[in-house]
Coordinates of all heavy atoms in Angstrom, one line a residue:
L1 N 163.2 96.9 53.9 CA 162.6 95.6 53.4 C 161.9 94.9 54.5 O 160.8 94.3 54.3 CB 163.8 94.7 52.8 CG 164.3 95.2 51.5 CD1 165.6 94.5 51.2 CD2 163.3 94.9 50.4
F2 N 162.5 94.8 55.7 CA 161.9 94.1 56.8 C 160.5 94.8 57.1 O 159.5 94.0 57.3 CB 162.8 94.1 58.0 CG 162.1 93.4 59.2 CD1 161.9 92.1 59.2 CD2 161.7 94.2 60.3 CE1 161.2 91.5 60.3 CE2 161.0 93.6 61.3 CZ 160.8 92.2 61.4
R3 N 160.5 96.1 57.2 CA 159.2 96.7 57.6 C 158.2 96.5 56.4 O 157.0 96.2 56.7 CB 159.4 98.2 57.8 CG 160.1 98.6 59.0 CD 159.6 98.0 60.3 NE 158.2 98.3 60.5 CZ 157.3 97.4 61.0 NH1 157.7 96.2 61.3 NH2 156.1 97.8 61.1
F4 N 158.6 96.5 55.2 CA 157.7 96.2 54.1 C 157.1 94.8 54.2 O 155.9 94.7 54.1 CB 158.5 96.4 52.7 CG 157.7 96.0 51.5 CD1 156.8 96.8 51.0 CD2 157.9 94.7 50.9 CE1 156.0 96.5 49.9 CE2 157.2 94.4 49.8 CZ 156.3 95.2 49.3
F5 N 157.9 93.8 54.4 CA 157.4 92.5 54.4 C 156.6 92.2 55.7 O 155.7 91.4 55.7 CB 158.5 91.4 54.3 CG 159.1 91.4 52.9 CD1 160.4 91.7 52.7 CD2 158.3 91.1 51.8 CE1 161.0 91.6 51.4 CE2 158.8 91.1 50.5 CZ 160.2 91.3 50.3
D6 N 157.0 92.8 56.8 CA 156.3 92.7 58.1 C 154.9 93.3 58.0 O 153.9 92.8 58.5 CB 157.1 93.3 59.2 CG 156.5 92.9 60.6 OD1 155.9 91.8 60.7 OD2 156.6 93.8 61.5
I7 N 154.8 94.4 57.3 CA 153.5 95.1 57.1 C 152.6 94.4 56.1 O 151.4 94.1 56.3 CB 153.7 96.6 56.8 CG1 154.3 97.3 58.0 CG2 152.4 97.2 56.4 CD1 154.8 98.7 57.7
L8 N 153.2 94.1 54.9 CA 152.5 93.5 53.8 C 152.0 92.1 54.1 O 151.0 91.7 53.7 CB 153.4 93.6 52.5 CG 152.7 93.0 51.2 CD1 151.6 93.9 50.8 CD2 153.8 93.0 50.1
K9 N 152.9 91.3 54.7 CA 152.6 89.9 55.1 C 152.2 89.1 53.8 O 151.1 88.6 53.8 CB 151.5 89.8 56.2 CG 151.9 90.5 57.5 CD 151.0 90.1 58.6 CE 151.3 90.8 59.9 NZ 152.6 91.0 60.3
P10 N 153.2 89.0 52.9 CA 152.9 88.1 51.7 C 152.8 86.6 52.2 O 153.3 86.3 53.2 CB 154.1 88.3 50.8 CG 155.2 88.7 51.7 CD 154.5 89.5 52.9
P11 N 152.1 85.8 51.3 CA 152.0 84.4 51.7 C 153.4 83.8 51.8 O 154.3 84.1 51.1 CB 151.3 83.8 50.4 CG 150.6 84.9 49.8 CD 151.5 86.1 50.1
P12 N 153.6 82.9 52.8 CA 152.7 82.3 53.7 C 152.6 83.1 55.0 O 152.0 82.6 56.0 CB 153.2 80.9 53.9 CG 154.7 81.2 53.9 CD 154.9 82.2 52.8
I13 N 153.2 84.3 55.1 CA 153.2 85.0 56.4 C 151.8 85.3 56.9 O 151.4 85.0 58.0 CB 154.0 86.4 56.3 CG1 155.4 86.1 55.9 CG2 153.9 87.1 57.6 CD1 156.2 87.3 55.6
R14 N 150.9 85.8 56.0 CA 149.5 86.1 56.3 C 148.8 84.9 56.8 O 148.0 84.9 57.8 CB 148.8 86.8 55.2 CG 147.4 87.3 55.5 CD 146.8 88.0 54.4 NE 147.6 89.1 53.9 CZ 147.6 90.3 54.3 NH1 146.8 90.6 55.4 NH2 148.4 91.3 53.8
Y15 N 149.1 83.7 56.2 CA 148.4 82.5 56.6 C 148.8 82.1 58.0 O 147.9 81.8 58.8 CB 148.9 81.3 55.6 CG 148.5 80.0 56.1 CD1 147.2 79.5 55.7 CD2 149.3 79.2 56.8 CE1 146.8 78.2 56.1 CE2 148.9 77.9 57.2 CZ 147.6 77.4 56.9 OH 147.2 76.2 57.3
F16 N 150.1 82.2 58.3 CA 150.5 81.8 59.7 C 150.1 82.9 60.7 O 149.7 82.6 61.8 CB 152.0 81.6 59.7 CG 152.4 80.3 59.1 CD1 153.1 80.3 57.9 CD2 152.1 79.1 59.6 CE1 153.5 79.1 57.3 CE2 152.4 77.9 59.0 CZ 153.2 77.9 57.8
D17 N 150.1 84.1 60.3 CA 149.7 85.2 61.2 C 148.2 85.0 61.6 O 147.9 85.3 62.7 CB 149.9 86.6 60.5 CG 149.6 87.7 61.4 OD1 150.1 87.8 62.5 OD2 148.8 88.6 61.0
A18 N 147.4 84.6 60.7 CA 146.0 84.4 61.0 C 145.7 83.1 61.8 O 144.7 83.1 62.5 CB 145.2 84.3 59.7
R19 N 146.6 82.2 61.7 CA 146.3 80.9 62.4 C 147.1 80.7 63.7 O 146.7 80.0 64.6 CB 146.6 79.8 61.4 CG 145.4 79.7 60.5 CD 145.8 78.9 59.2 NE 144.7 78.8 58.3 CZ 144.4 79.8 57.5 NH1 145.0 81.0 57.5 NH2 143.3 79.7 56.6
L20 N 148.3 81.2 63.8 CA 149.1 81.0 65.0 C 149.0 82.3 65.8 O 149.4 83.4 65.4 CB 150.6 80.8 64.6 CG 150.9 79.6 63.7 CD1 152.4 79.5 63.4 CD2 150.5 78.3 64.5
K21 N 148.6 82.1 67.0 CA 148.5 83.2 68.0 C 149.4 82.9 69.2 O 150.1 81.9 69.2 CB 147.0 83.5 68.4 CG 146.1 83.8 67.2 CD 146.5 85.2 66.7 CE 145.7 85.5 65.4 NZ 146.3 86.6 64.7
H22 N 149.2 83.7 70.2 CA 150.0 83.6 71.4 C 151.5 83.8 71.1 O 151.9 84.3 70.1 CB 149.6 82.3 72.1 CG 148.2 82.2 72.4 ND1 147.5 83.0 73.3 CD2 147.2 81.4 71.8 CE1 146.2 82.7 73.2 NE2 146.0 81.7 72.3
G23 N 152.3 83.4 72.0 CA 153.7 83.7 71.9 C 154.4 83.3 70.7 O 155.1 84.1 70.0
F24 N 154.3 82.0 70.3 CA 155.0 81.5 69.2 C 154.5 82.1 67.9 O 155.3 82.5 67.0 CB 154.8 80.0 69.1 CG 155.6 79.4 67.9 CD1 156.9 79.2 67.9 CD2 154.9 79.0 66.7 CE1 157.6 78.7 66.8 CE2 155.5 78.5 65.6 CZ 156.9 78.4 65.6
G25 N 153.2 82.3 67.8 CA 152.6 83.0 66.6 C 153.1 84.4 66.4 O 153.4 84.9 65.3
V26 N 153.2 85.1 67.5 CA 153.6 86.5 67.5 C 155.0 86.5 67.0 O 155.4 87.4 66.1 CB 153.6 87.1 68.9 CG1 154.3 88.5 69.0 CG2 152.1 87.3 69.4
M27 N 155.9 85.6 67.4 CA 157.3 85.7 67.0 C 157.5 85.1 65.6 O 158.4 85.6 64.9 CB 158.1 84.9 68.1 CG 158.1 85.4 69.5 SD 158.9 87.0 69.7 CE 160.6 86.6 69.4
F28 N 156.8 84.0 65.3 CA 157.1 83.3 64.0 C 156.8 84.1 62.8 O 157.6 84.0 61.8 CB 156.2 82.0 64.0 CG 156.5 81.1 62.8 CD1 157.7 80.5 62.7 CD2 155.6 80.9 61.9 CE1 158.0 79.7 61.6 CE2 155.8 80.1 60.8 CZ 157.0 79.5 60.7
D29 N 155.7 84.9 62.7 CA 155.5 85.6 61.5 C 156.5 86.6 61.2 O 156.8 86.9 60.0 CB 154.0 86.2 61.5 CG 153.9 87.4 62.3 OD1 154.1 87.3 63.5 OD2 153.5 88.5 61.8
D30 N 157.2 87.2 62.2 CA 158.2 88.1 61.9 C 159.5 87.4 61.5 O 160.3 88.0 60.7 CB 158.5 89.0 63.2 CG 157.4 90.0 63.4 OD1 156.3 89.6 63.8 OD2 157.7 91.2 63.1
I31 N 159.7 86.2 61.9 CA 160.9 85.4 61.4 C 160.7 85.2 59.9 O 161.6 85.2 59.1 CB 161.1 84.1 62.2 CG1 161.4 84.4 63.6 CG2 162.1 83.2 61.5 CD1 162.8 85.1 63.8
L32 N 159.4 84.9 59.5 CA 159.2 84.7 58.1 C 159.4 86.0 57.3 O 159.9 86.0 56.2 CB 157.7 84.2 57.9 CG 157.4 82.8 58.4 CD1 155.9 82.5 58.2 CD2 158.3 81.8 57.7
A33 N 159.0 87.1 57.9 CA 159.3 88.4 57.2 C 160.8 88.7 57.1 O 161.3 89.2 56.1 CB 158.6 89.6 58.0
A34 N 161.5 88.2 58.1 CA 163.0 88.3 58.1 C 163.5 87.5 56.9 O 164.5 87.9 56.2 CB 163.6 87.9 59.4
C35 N 163.0 86.3 56.7 CA 163.4 85.4 55.6 C 163.2 86.1 54.3 O 164.1 86.0 53.4 CB 162.7 84.1 55.7 SG 163.2 83.0 57.1

């Protein structure tokens, strides 16, 4: 499930992945995939 959501990046993961970069952005989108 984690790999599925991390790869697919459903909303809002894709939104944040596209807008947040650098350290926090790298870490944050995976926390959303974890959720």
Side-chain angles (χ1 to χ4, degrees):
L1 287 166
F2 177 71
R3 291 308 304 139
F4 174 77
F5 290 120
D6 190 32
I7 292 166
L8 183 64
K9 297 191 186 318
I13 299 172
R14 187 174 305 274
Y15 173 85
F16 288 112
D17 184 54
R19 284 162 182 78
L20 298 176
K21 297 295 176 196
H22 306 288
F24 181 77
V26 169
M27 299 293 293
F28 184 68
D29 74 302
D30 285 75
I31 295 298
L32 292 176
C35 292

